[in-house]
Amino acid sequence: MTTSPYYFLLLIPILPLCLLFLLFLIVRPRPSPIPIKGRHVFITGGSSGIGLALARQVAAEGARVSILARSRKRLEEAREAIRLATGVEVAIFSADVRDAKEVARAIEEAGPIDVLVCNQGVFVPQELEKQELEEVKFMVDVNLMGTFHLIKAALPAMKRRTRETGLPASITLMSSQAGQVGVYGYTAYSASKFALRGLSEALQHEVIADNIYVSLIFPPDTETPGFAEEQERRPELTKIIAGSSGGMKADDVAKVSLNGIKYGRFIIPCNFEGTMIAIATSGLSPQSSFMTAFIEVVGASFMRLVALFFQWNWFTSIEKWQAKSSGKLK
């Protein structure tokens, strides 16, 4: 008795279903919606840009909102803007995230936090050889060490809060697409943002037993008050390479980010390009959605090929630019 070769065609639709079922069983952490209404959301870098947009949106959803930044004047302006837009009065705290004691005082005054959004960030683009080490240290201190200071100060009370309420909490870190892929001129900045991924992955292991979910957001270039200045400082070659990436408005980034936080997603890309990069760089990161895991598993090889084309394009741009620069020097 011979088996028809067409018999194996029947397995084609079955295999994806088997994979989906397997992923449904193994994805971790298990998905858990994060309530926003009536809960305390604490946002750093909340006086402008993505932080301000996010504060306005969670206030509109009924959250109790606290925002932290360095400038008291800009915080007061942000508070008034949120009040006019939503009718909600937010609490403001002036502190430098580089100072652990200042951060601890602000968080103690604010009270137990349900959703902590570490949104502070600075970006000074330049080739490493030309960049002053003080600027490198500044980015690392704000983008990375500031995040450590915030989490260390907020975590004990967050753990107590989840035990008391029985509700899940969230710690959200604002990275960047430059925290997924390194680009010419972003050496120090990318280092400070790549580090947030390692922090997030390890932290999720440490806090999941306390019903705390970690989210990592990867926005592209975003129209913020400091963006125009950053553009002027970018090396010419950085503008060529990064110019192919689409930008977003702060309100749009905030909306996508908030949706991801509410679903307890670990990786939160903000646009189509970001989603492609997230698939290509998913690696060993946690994943709570079995459908997203399915896309990652199926799309990983193809996205690796796409990534290699991107790298080919970038290296070609570098070679052309260097040849052009050498010609000018001659």
Side-chain angles (χ1 to χ4, degrees), residues 121-140:
V122 290
F123 172 40
V124 186
Q126 195 169 26
E127 297 93 336
L128 181 61
E129 184 181 6
K130 299 176 183 177
Q131 192 155 42
E132 296 293 333
L133 283 175
E134 281 303 310
E135 285 186 338
V136 175
K137 187 175 184 300
F138 177 50
M139 282 185 275
V140 172

Side-chain angles (χ1 to χ4, degrees), residues 4-329:
S4 170
Y6 299 106
Y7 171 79
F8 294 101
L9 295 176
L10 299 175
L11 297 176
I12 294 175
I14 296 174
L15 291 175
L17 292 175
C18 291
L19 177 58
L20 277 169
F21 181 68
L22 174 63
L23 293 171
F24 174 77
L25 294 176
I26 66 172
V27 291
R28 293 294 187 276
R30 285 300 189 189
S32 178
I34 311 292
I36 296 297
K37 186 176 181 179
R39 308 191 77 202
H40 185 196
V41 180
F42 190 101
I43 303 169
T44 65
S47 64
S48 64
I50 298 170
L52 175 56
L54 190 57
R56 188 166 52 241
Q57 291 181 25
V58 294
E61 293 200 11
R64 179 167 74 89
V65 184
S66 297
I67 56 175
L68 180 146
R70 281 180 292 177
S71 170
R72 185 80 186 182
K73 181 175 181 290
R74 291 178 68 180
L75 281 166
E76 289 171 352
E77 292 171 352
R79 177 170 60 185
E80 180 63 12
I82 294 169
R83 188 186 66 79
L84 291 173
T86 66
V88 175
E89 192 76 22
V90 304
I92 60 173
F93 300 92
S94 177
D96 188 333
V97 295
R98 294 174 294 177
D99 189 321
K101 291 181 180 178
E102 280 189 27
V103 168
R105 278 196 297 270
I107 286 179
E108 184 177 5
E109 185 181 345
I113 296 165
D114 298 300
V115 178
L116 172 65
V117 182
C118 303
N119 171 70
Q120 82 285 346
V122 290
F123 172 40
V124 186
Q126 195 169 26
E127 297 93 336
L128 181 61
E129 184 181 6
K130 299 176 183 177
Q131 192 155 42
E132 296 293 333
L133 283 175
E134 281 303 310
E135 285 186 338
V136 175
K137 187 175 184 300
F138 177 50
M139 282 185 275
V140 172
D141 284 347
V142 173
N143 300 348
L144 178 59
M145 291 308 301
T147 302
F148 275 113
H149 295 158
L150 289 158
I151 296 171
K152 285 279 287 180
L155 194 53
M158 290 185 76
K159 288 184 175 183
R160 288 194 298 271
R161 182 85 157 179
T162 58
R163 288 195 294 268
E164 291 167 0
T165 64
L167 294 173
S170 170
I171 297 174
T172 298
L173 281 62
M174 190 65 67
S175 184
S176 163
Q177 284 184 359
Q180 294 173 292
V181 57
V183 177
Y184 184 101
Y186 286 17
T187 308
Y189 180 67
S190 284
S192 71
K193 290 296 188 176
F194 263 87
L196 295 179
R197 180 155 190 161
L199 189 167
S200 299
E201 291 184 0
L203 181 65
Q204 182 62 95
H205 286 179
E206 295 178 9
V207 300
I208 190 60
D210 297 288
N211 207 16
I212 298 174
Y213 288 77
V214 178
S215 293
L216 189 59
I217 303 169
F218 294 104
D221 284 343
T222 305
E223 295 176 16
T224 62
F227 183 62
E229 183 181 341
E230 293 163 3
Q231 285 280 74
E232 290 178 7
R233 276 212 55 169
R234 284 182 176 180
E236 182 183 344
L237 187 49
T238 305
K239 293 177 183 177
I240 294 170
I241 294 173
S244 60
S245 176
M248 291 181 70
K249 294 184 181 298
D251 283 335
D252 295 331
V253 172
K255 183 178 180 180
V256 173
S257 300
L258 181 55
N259 285 336
I261 293 168
K262 290 195 290 187
Y263 282 102
R265 291 177 181 147
F266 181 76
I267 296 292
I268 305 176
C270 294
N271 58 7
F272 178 71
E273 185 180 65
T275 300
M276 291 195 299
I277 298 173
I279 294 170
T281 61
S282 54
L284 285 169
S285 62
Q287 180 55 263
S288 58
S289 167
F290 73 93
M291 286 300 298
T292 303
F294 179 79
I295 295 170
E296 290 171 349
V297 171
V298 173
S301 296
F302 173 72
M303 288 313 306
R304 177 55 178 156
L305 178 62
V306 172
L308 289 171
F309 272 108
F310 269 100
Q311 289 289 348
W312 169 79
N313 181 54
W314 293 338
F315 276 99
T316 300
S317 297
I318 293 168
E319 290 167 5
K320 289 180 178 178
W321 182 84
Q322 287 177 336
K324 182 181 175 182
S325 298
S326 298
K328 285 181 180 179
L329 290 175

